[in-house]
């Protein structure tokens, strides 16, 4: 059986609650968590959850079954601690151990919870939730777009609440991909040959947007490195945008998600904060659905 390793943050809490409830119903005394090293020490209940989270995150990052050596070396913990933690997770259904390789893979509780997640949520619904949260946080309008040839198409929008200028672009509106933030975020997810096939050699002059294929490809390199794209007064004058993209690996569909705001409010000093806000929203969705780009995207885990 082949397993697809996804970001299972919400799943982790579900299976923990299921495990604790099963222990209570059985009337047994919960096992004492092993005494781990300093890095894994602290409040015992929270520490145990954090240890399991670290193991699942490692599995997501490596995208393969884990051995005791993997956990010990990658998380910088003693082998004895790694072994006890993996054994405990297997005992409670988080993991199961392959009888031949002795490596650990996702267990029945994790798989059941992840199957439920995928059956009840899809990429678009997750993006719309993130979009609503971004619009509520920032007050600016937000959009979800698709890529159709060399154009973007709006498929969802949320109206903002602040500022003298609101970017209102109805569902179904099309725009040139090379001259919008969502378009460049989407194009950045394609390889250069496919981008070239879509946009051609010379691009129409639209504000400060790239005017040649080579200029566009250079811009896309930066988008891929940053995880977000930015535009200011290109396709729509006086309107700026910050966007990122997510791939649904099940369907192959790319989605762009982003914010639109007045150009004079997107000054250089605030671009990183909006870029990170949009990027992190796309990353959460991407990791939840198994987008390889976001699974591999370099990120510093919170302490």
């Amino acid at each position: 059986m082949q397993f697809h390793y996804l970001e299972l943050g919400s799943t982790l809490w579900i299976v923990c609650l299921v495990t604790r409830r099963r222990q209570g119903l059985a009337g047994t005394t919960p096992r004492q968590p092993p005494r781990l090293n300093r890095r894994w020490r602290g409040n015992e209940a929270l520490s145990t959850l954090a240890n399991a989270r670290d193991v699942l995150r490692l599995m997501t990052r490596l995208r393969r079954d884990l051995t005791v050596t993997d956990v010990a070396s990658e998380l910088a913990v003693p082998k004895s601690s790694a072994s006890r933690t993996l054994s405990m997770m297997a005992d409670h259904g988080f993991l199961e151990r392959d009888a031949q390789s002795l490596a650990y893979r996702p267990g029945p509780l994790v798989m059941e919870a992840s199957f439920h997640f995928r059956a009840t949520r899809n990429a678009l619904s997750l993006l719309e939730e993130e979009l609503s949260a971004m619009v509520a946080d920032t007050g600016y309008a937000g959009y979800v777009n698709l890529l159709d040839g060399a154009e973007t198409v709006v498929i969802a929008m949320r109206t903002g609440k602040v500022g003298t200028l609101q970017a209102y672009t109805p569902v179904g509106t099309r725009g040139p991909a090379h001259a919008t933030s969502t378009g460049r975020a989407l194009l950045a997810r394609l390889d250069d040959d496919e981008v070239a096939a879509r946009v051609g050699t010379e691009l129409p002059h639209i504000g400060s947007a790239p005017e040649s294929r080579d200029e566009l490809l250079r811009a896309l390199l930066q988008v891929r490195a940053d995880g977000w794209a930015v535009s200011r007064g290109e396709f729509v004058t006086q309107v700026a945008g910050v966007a990122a993209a997510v791939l649904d690996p099940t369907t192959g569909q790319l989605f762009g998600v982003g914010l639109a705001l007045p150009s004079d409010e997107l000054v250089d000093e605030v671009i990183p904060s909006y870029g990170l806000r949009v990027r992190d929203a796309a990353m959460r969705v991407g990791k939840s659905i198994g987008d390889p780009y976001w699974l591999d995207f370099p990120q510093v885990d919170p302490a």
Side-chain angles (χ1 to χ4, degrees):
M1 182 179 294
Q2 182 179 5
F3 294 95
H4 297 279
Y5 298 106
L6 310 180
E7 179 70 39
L8 298 171
S10 57
T11 298
L12 174 60
W13 287 99
I14 294 171
V15 296
C16 286
L17 291 173
V18 170
T19 301
R20 292 179 67 85
R21 186 176 180 186
R22 285 183 175 177
Q23 289 176 329
L25 290 174
T28 59
T29 302
R31 289 180 57 180
Q32 294 297 319
R35 183 177 180 82
L36 302 174
N37 71 332
R38 285 181 63 184
R39 181 177 173 181
W40 283 10
R41 194 175 299 158
N43 179 287
E44 289 186 347
L46 293 179
S47 178
T48 301
L49 287 172
N51 299 344
R53 176 203 63 197
D54 290 346
V55 169
L56 292 177
R57 282 182 172 174
L58 178 61
M59 190 172 285
T60 299
R61 176 163 62 85
L62 298 182
R63 292 191 229 169
R64 59 174 171 79
D65 297 352
L66 297 179
T67 65
V68 172
T69 300
D70 290 330
V71 175
S73 61
E74 294 289 337
L75 300 182
V77 297
K79 278 192 173 183
S80 58
S81 297
S83 178
R84 285 194 295 270
T85 299
L86 291 170
S87 295
M88 181 178 63
M89 293 177 70
D91 288 345
H92 293 298
F94 288 88
L95 303 175
E96 64 180 19
R97 196 174 194 185
D98 185 271
Q100 294 184 338
S101 68
L102 302 183
Y104 291 85
R105 59 194 178 200
L109 285 177
V110 170
M111 297 305 295
E112 289 167 15
S114 64
F115 288 150
H116 172 72
F117 176 85
R118 292 307 303 271
T120 58
R121 312 289 291 281
N122 59 42
L124 181 56
S125 68
L126 293 170
L127 284 169
E128 288 182 315
E129 287 182 10
E130 291 286 353
L131 186 67
S132 295
M134 286 195 297
V135 170
D137 289 346
T138 66
Y140 295 119
Y143 297 88
V144 176
N145 290 36
L146 299 181
L147 187 62
D148 183 18
E151 295 183 317
T152 61
V153 183
V154 177
I155 62 169
M157 72 161 293
R158 299 289 186 273
T159 305
K161 299 179 181 179
V162 302
T164 58
L165 174 66
Q166 280 296 319
Y168 182 83
T169 307
V171 171
T173 300
R174 290 176 172 267
H178 77 283
T180 63
S181 59
T182 51
R184 290 199 287 271
L186 288 162
L187 289 173
R189 297 301 305 273
L190 309 177
D191 61 42
D192 287 355
D193 289 340
E194 186 169 355
V195 172
R198 287 175 180 261
V199 304
T201 304
E202 297 300 322
L203 306 176
H205 173 73
I206 302 177
S208 59
E211 296 186 9
S212 69
R213 180 178 64 192
D214 289 344
E215 186 181 353
L216 174 61
L217 292 177
R218 287 194 297 270
L220 297 183
L221 283 175
Q222 189 64 52
V223 175
R224 293 173 185 133
D226 292 339
W228 78 78
V230 62
S231 64
R232 285 191 279 195
E234 297 175 20
F235 177 53
V236 180
T237 58
Q238 299 183 345
V239 174
V242 184
V246 173
L247 171 70
D248 185 338
T250 303
T251 64
Q253 181 65 62
L254 275 169
F255 297 90
V257 59
L259 295 169
L261 60 155
S263 292
D264 59 3
E265 295 184 24
L266 190 64
V267 296
D268 292 344
E269 292 78 10
V270 303
I271 288 176
S273 62
Y274 285 118
L276 290 173
R277 179 67 178 85
V278 173
R279 186 200 72 183
D280 290 348
M283 185 184 297
R284 282 190 291 272
V285 175
K287 287 191 172 186
S288 295
I289 63 176
D291 181 343
Y293 172 80
W294 292 116
L295 289 175
D296 289 339
F297 197 86
Q299 181 187 25
V300 177
D301 289 334

